[in-house]
Amino acid sequence: MNNSHEVNEVVNYVNTFMAALETKNPGEHEFHQAVREVLESIAPYLMESPHLMKAKIMERMVEPERVIMFRVPWVDDKGEVQVNRGFRVQMNSAIGPYKGGIRFHASVNLSIMKFLAFEQTFKNALTTLPMGGAKGGSDFNPRGKSDAEVMRFCQSFMTELQRHIGQDTDVPAGDIGVGGREIGFLFGQYKRIRDEWTGTLTGKSLYWGGSLMRPEATGYGACYFAEAMLATRGLSFKDQTVCISGSGNVAQYAAQKAMRLGAKVVTLSDSDGFIYDPEGLTEEKLNYVFRLKNIFRGRIREYAEQYPSAQYFPHERPWRIPCQIAMPCATQNEIDATDAQHLLDNGCLCVCEGANMPTTPEAIVLFQKAQILYSPGKASNAGGVATSGLEMTQNSIRQSWTAEEVDNHLRRIMADIHAACIKYGTEEDGYINYVRGANIAGFIKVANAMLEQGIC
Ligand code: NDP
């Protein structure tokens, strides 16, 4: 941007656009936040592209192609009827069939679904694979539910969802609260009603069409991305201290890969608190976490009961623990400005997001002002959906690739996303603005596809 007049024009454009969006979508704070972040990055590019402005590309991108909301009735183990709300937001199909996870969490609402589907559209474009953007879920909370209750809920959820999805239309996957168990129940019901065996869901078990490396992909991919970021400053994971939040799928495999790359991982968390193990996780300790969370569905506090080297901090997030690398892998808005300041004061030099939008806008500003390495989830956690795309390919050609083959694809895709961020995000002083890079690269691909397909 050349002068203050142009800066003002951009600010005015963003504020006017956002005011209209907020009026039209009242109370959807997470959705507003996600759109503003993208818009602030792409506005200068957009305003220099009259053909995109005239075609109202951005106005169309923020309007989901379809929103499906539905009743999910089910019966609990006591014989009582329960009612939840189901969602599928089919945001954008310009570059491929809708693709995006399903989240089961008490906090799920339309705003969270729309923010995730919007982010997913850009993320999927960055993977270079032909996948549109979507997200779904329910305010069902799997915590404390029996396997039979989870199954009955999943069957009821899929009884409605099945009519809106398919291998060439919309291919859901897992997300918070939806792992291998839930994907199994959902797939079983889909197959039963539709009488077809297709790769309509990804994240499937290896026994029936899943891809090797899919469970690892998001966490590993985030570490590959962090490796590439660190390399721009001549650094690596070796001997660095890493704080990770969450203890679910993404956190577990981010921890495993970071450790295998030579780092010391000292924290994990869940929604009740975090553990700090100054001696660092080991393969043996991480195996305990895998069993604790994936088989026994326990709480992270139990780690500190098992390993006396660790301390448990209830109702706190791990960001005041000194580290060089922070990997938020739990949920949205889990690093605020105070957390960011703690990280910076303690010498953190790289924040690599495994979760979706875990950093608040105020915290992002602090990281960027301090010119540390900071990557948004839509770039650094794209390895999960990319490997889901590879699972779709394997299902279509009726073949299974080796772990090595899938891992090689994953590494290449993460390297390509990093290169795209550098191409579009490098500022005049050499600082790589990964937010801008990821947003512009994703936007250009989707915008051009929309333009070529006419007004639709
Ligand atoms: P999981 O359900 O496997 O794990 C989620 C973890 O985050 C749990 O430890 C959970 O704790 C914690 N958590 C959830 N909500 C909150 C909260 N409000 N406050 C604090 N902690 C919370 O989910 P995933 O690991 O799959 O997903 C984690 C993040 O990564 C999400 O943002 C998701 O959208 C994103 N993501 C996931 C991908 C994937 O492939 N799985 C792909 C790309 C992004 P608790 O047990 O207490 O709920």
Side-chain angles (χ1 to χ4, degrees), residues 103 105 116 123 135 143 174-178 214 218 246-251 269-272 293 299 329-332 354-356 381 384:
R103 175 176 293 190
H105 194 270
L116 287 164
K123 183 192 307 191
K135 201 79 186 189
R143 200 162 142 187
D175 190 74
I176 291 178
V178 178
R214 176 60 189 90
T218 309
S247 49
N249 171 267
V250 181
S269 72
D270 58 27
S271 44
D272 295 332
K293 301 303 285 188
R299 310 302 300 159
C329 297
T331 192
Q332 64 272 2
N356 283 312
N381 73 28

Side-chain angles (χ1 to χ4, degrees), residues 316-321 333-346 359-364 366-367:
E316 279 192 63
R317 303 189 285 224
W319 312 123
R320 64 182 170 78
I321 301 299
N333 292 330
E334 54 164 319
I335 297 183
D336 62 18
T338 310
D339 298 320
Q341 200 54 57
H342 280 309
L343 285 165
L344 291 171
D345 290 346
N346 285 328
T359 310
T360 65
E362 300 75 27
I364 294 175
L366 289 175
F367 291 148

